[in-house]
Amino acid sequence: MSLKGIMAISGMPGLYKILAQSKNGFIVESLADKKRLPVASTQRITMLEDITMYCTSRDASLKEVMLKMKENDSASAAINPKADGNELKKFFETILPDYDQNRVYNSDIQKVIKWYQTLKDHVTFEDEAEEDTKEDALVEEVKEMAEGDKKAKSKKTHKEDVHSKADVGLNKASTEKKVASVKTRKKV
């Protein structure tokens, strides 16, 4: 298994693997305890394959960082994600020497270490020649659903604005008609 199809969900601990699509989102499985959960398309998700780390020369993908951590597995396994900031920075400098120390926070380093410790038994970080097309298609559908939901929300608010303006116009027109009918009654 590769990093494709692995996600972090905001507000939910751990990492999850995409299994299937449902009508309102998708079904995921926790990598820690293998529990299956439905996830709505409105929840904030982050696909691990899309994450990059800030570096001084260029941004490094999470896959590259994980490969370097695997090469230095003895140090990666020994580091505690809850260690103090200086220790985390020293460790990360051995893994990724040119990372941007101003933009990469201790919490980011902690997440990467936790994710590596979770994924090292489940994922091969090497480039795979053959990708599973079904998994790729499912990942693309999830991304499209997340983007589509954001667009739908923005369209919905625009439609609500248009309807409320139209309602105000209708109310104004109907009020003018009532006033005109009252005026004509008084003349008679």
Side-chain angles (χ1 to χ4, degrees):
M1 179 173 34
S2 67
L3 284 180
K4 281 191 183 274
I6 306 292
M7 68 172 69
I9 303 171
S10 180
M12 297 174 71
L15 296 173
Y16 299 87
K17 178 184 175 188
I18 301 171
L19 295 179
Q21 182 179 355
S22 67
K23 71 177 188 179
N24 294 337
F26 37 91
I27 308 297
V28 297
E29 180 180 62
S30 171
L31 292 179
D33 56 5
K34 304 292 183 197
K35 287 185 180 178
R36 293 182 179 194
L37 306 164
V39 176
S41 61
T42 57
Q43 285 180 287
R44 231 177 85 189
I45 62 166
T46 305
M47 302 300 289
L48 293 190
E49 65 183 313
D50 296 336
I51 296 175
T52 58
M53 298 294 289
Y54 293 115
C55 294
T56 55
S57 60
R58 62 171 181 78
D59 292 346
S61 70
L62 186 64
K63 189 173 191 174
E64 291 175 37
V65 175
M66 296 283 185
L67 275 169
K68 290 181 180 182
M69 289 178 79
K70 187 173 183 175
E71 291 169 4
N72 195 0
D73 194 43
S74 59
S76 300
I79 189 76
N80 182 5
K82 296 183 180 182
D84 70 327
N86 293 329
E87 191 176 330
L88 290 172
K89 287 180 180 184
K90 285 179 187 175
F91 165 73
F92 213 66
E93 282 179 5
T94 61
I95 301 299
L96 197 64
D98 65 334
Y99 85 97
D100 191 345
Q101 295 182 1
N102 295 328
R103 295 193 294 174
V104 177
Y105 300 108
N106 292 339
S107 60
D108 299 330
I109 297 171
Q110 287 176 336
K111 277 185 195 174
V112 170
I113 294 170
K114 285 180 190 176
W115 289 347
Y116 174 76
Q117 291 174 350
T118 302
L119 292 172
K120 68 180 177 181
D121 298 330
H122 301 286
V123 175
T124 58
F125 300 110
E126 288 81 27
D127 290 329
E128 297 177 0
E130 289 184 27
E131 292 292 330
D132 186 12
T133 57
K134 182 179 176 184
E135 191 175 282
D136 289 347
L138 189 58
V139 169
E140 289 302 317
E141 285 181 30
V142 169
K143 287 181 182 178
E144 288 174 9
M145 285 179 62
E147 290 173 7
D149 189 53
K150 290 176 187 173
K151 289 179 184 176
K153 283 183 180 177
S154 66
K155 285 182 181 178
K156 193 181 272 187
T157 56
H158 176 69
K159 284 182 180 177
E160 290 171 357
D161 291 343
V162 170
H163 286 299
S164 64
K165 288 177 184 175
D167 291 342
V168 170
L170 289 175
N171 290 339
K172 187 176 181 181
S174 63
T175 306
E176 289 173 0
K177 286 181 184 177
K178 288 179 185 176
V179 170
S181 66
V182 170
K183 288 181 180 177
T184 55
R185 284 186 202 158
K186 288 184 180 179
K187 288 182 183 177
V188 178

